[in-house]
Amino acid sequence: MAQNPNLAALSAAGVSVWLDDLSRDRLQTGNLQELIDTKCVVGVTTNPSIFQAALSKGTAYDAQVAELAARGADVDATVRTVTTDDVRNACDVLAKAYEASDGVDGRVSIEVDPRLAHDTDKTILQAIELWKIVDRPNLFIKIPATIAGLPAITATLAEGISVNVTLIFSVERHRQVMDAYLAGLEKAKQAGHDVSKIHSVASFFVSRVDTEVDNRLDKIGSPEALALRGQAGIANARLAYAAYEEVFVGGSRYEALKADGARVQRPLWASTGVKNPDYADTLYVTELVAPNTVNTIPEKTLDAVADHGVITGDTVTGKGAESQALFDKLAGVGVDLTDVFKVLEDEGVEKFEKSWQELLEATQGQLDAAKK
């Protein structure tokens, strides 16, 4: 089967295309394999909202939930079994991409329970537990970049476990995440792990930044403010890429590990579905093309890029100064960016907690129905 030319051009420009979705239906119908074969998909990300949507639709999980109910499994054990089974199966589907890319791609991410976002020790324990349950080398454990998450990221990497750091909104937090990654590699090396086998991505959220900043610009309402709408998310991501280059392209701390085969922590563009219908539906893909990056794309956006996305090569490198100039303008019209990023992190944790709670409630309902 031929790959879509637009997505092939995106891949050729150094962007790994990952699907931001997973369900048992995708696995059982061969849909995931089809996207690998025709739309350049080389990875999958999941989160509590994705699993909540998957389990609430259709009947694909009914038989397994009934079987677990008969065994007396509680709701937490049921959700853990169902989600880790899907992730393990997706890891197997992507095993060829993993091998072909020397472990860089072919990755599937599973997130720690979002209720642990502010508990370092429990996050570490669950990260290790999920790694053992899924038992696949191409797994990524997703840990949120909260203040409590940062030491958990270091400790998990130190165990030789690959980590997808999620819910990053500010460049300042991104720098702390890169520090946490390098600290984890240093500890892993001391513990005798092969650091060339440890991988990580830093998931930098894009569209949510525009949503929050645009709301504030609308409230300010001046012509200068309104002219800045729809630009903050991309500028923020481009600044993150500039920070990544500082650390991983000739940065002394990384260079000391590189001799042992250490990998860079790739920037991953998350939340790349366009929420504002006034903006181009491929905006957060075509404007964030750079080497050594990942774009985790919802299927609707993937289809849009396949249909009419115009890939013009690198649209990120060297744009740090103009991105900073935009941030200066945002501050000049009264947007408190520090507050924007705090609100987004708090909301991000809250949204995933809410989805997880809904997932638990829906699964409890299925367990109760199965016992009748």
Side-chain angles (χ1 to χ4, degrees):
M1 280 190 244
Q3 293 287 6
N4 174 271
N6 296 345
L7 291 161
L10 183 65
S11 302
V15 181
S16 293
V17 176
W18 291 5
L19 178 70
D20 193 27
D21 194 48
L22 182 64
S23 67
R24 193 152 296 179
D25 266 348
R26 281 197 193 281
L27 291 160
Q28 290 178 342
T29 60
N31 168 264
L32 177 58
Q33 185 61 55
E34 186 186 334
L35 294 175
I36 293 166
D37 293 339
T38 63
K39 289 190 174 157
C40 296
V41 168
V42 290
V44 167
T45 47
T46 68
N47 62 42
S49 301
I50 285 168
F51 278 129
Q52 188 268 329
L55 267 83
S56 64
K57 287 177 196 156
T59 58
Y61 297 94
D62 291 1
Q64 186 177 21
V65 171
E67 185 192 322
L68 289 163
R71 281 198 243 150
D74 66 11
V75 67
D76 285 300
T78 300
V79 167
R80 185 165 57 246
T81 300
V82 165
T83 55
T84 53
D85 279 1
D86 276 4
V87 166
R88 186 183 306 107
N89 289 333
C91 281
D92 290 344
V93 173
L94 282 152
K96 281 184 186 168
Y98 172 73
E99 285 156 18
S101 64
D102 190 26
V104 173
D105 285 313
R107 294 277 173 175
V108 185
S109 299
I110 188 168
E111 190 151 341
V112 294
D113 185 332
R115 295 171 298 180
L116 307 179
H118 303 298
D119 189 322
T120 303
D121 293 341
K122 285 183 180 171
T123 294
I124 298 164
L125 288 172
Q126 193 176 79
I128 294 168
E129 181 189 28
L130 287 169
W131 182 257
K132 286 177 180 170
I133 292 171
V134 175
D135 191 27
R136 292 294 183 272
N138 50 332
L139 180 68
F140 263 141
I141 303 295
K142 273 177 111 172
I143 298 176
T146 54
I147 291 299
L150 293 169
I153 291 157
T154 295
T156 302
L157 290 159
E159 295 287 332
I161 295 170
S162 294
V163 175
N164 174 343
V165 183
T166 188
L167 287 177
I168 308 171
F169 294 98
S170 72
V171 176
E172 180 191 10
R173 184 57 54 84
H174 181 217
R175 287 184 183 280
Q176 292 173 313
V177 165
M178 291 188 286
D179 280 346
Y181 171 63
L182 292 170
L185 287 185
E186 286 158 358
K187 289 187 173 182
K189 182 182 165 184
Q190 285 167 2
H193 291 289
D194 178 354
V195 294
S196 72
K197 299 280 193 278
I198 304 169
H199 290 250
S200 184
V201 290
S203 294
F204 209 82
F205 280 54
V206 186
S207 66
R208 292 188 197 181
V209 173
D210 272 339
T211 302
E212 180 65 26
V213 170
D214 285 2
N215 284 342
R216 295 182 186 217
L217 291 169
D218 286 339
K219 280 177 188 164
I220 293 163
S222 67
E224 296 85 359
L226 298 178
L228 298 173
R229 286 178 298 187
Q231 299 173 62
I234 287 166
N236 196 37
R238 287 170 173 171
L239 286 168
Y241 191 78
Y244 151 81
E245 288 186 302
E246 276 177 42
V247 172
F248 291 106
V249 183
S252 58
R253 193 172 174 194
Y254 171 64
E255 284 298 316
L257 289 157
K258 195 175 170 184
D260 294 297
R263 315 294 186 125
V264 300
Q265 182 184 49
R266 290 189 294 168
L268 178 153
W269 313 129
S271 179
T272 56
V274 174
K275 294 179 172 62
N276 187 328
D278 294 338
Y279 303 154
D281 56 1
T282 60
L283 178 70
Y284 302 124
V285 179
T286 59
E287 296 306 308
L288 290 175
V289 178
N292 261 338
T293 58
V294 179
N295 197 313
T296 177
I297 310 177
E299 190 168 26
K300 186 179 171 188
T301 307
L302 191 70
D303 290 342
V305 176
D307 181 64
H308 54 264
V310 179
I311 309 302
T312 56
D314 191 336
T315 52
V316 174
T317 305
K319 302 229 169 156
E322 69 182 67
S323 298
Q324 186 56 54
L326 178 86
F327 268 36
D328 294 342
K329 284 181 189 171
L330 288 167
V333 299
V335 175
D336 181 346
L337 288 160
T338 304
D339 186 63
V340 164
F341 299 135
K342 183 182 184 312
V343 164
L344 286 170
E345 183 181 303
D346 292 345
E347 274 182 4
V349 172
E350 209 174 279
K351 278 178 186 169
F352 283 165
E353 278 183 359
K354 184 171 179 281
S355 295
W356 195 253
Q357 198 54 48
E358 287 169 3
L359 173 60
L360 292 171
E361 286 166 11
T363 307
Q364 186 63 61
Q366 286 179 286
L367 285 169
D368 292 342
K371 287 173 188 168
K372 285 177 183 170

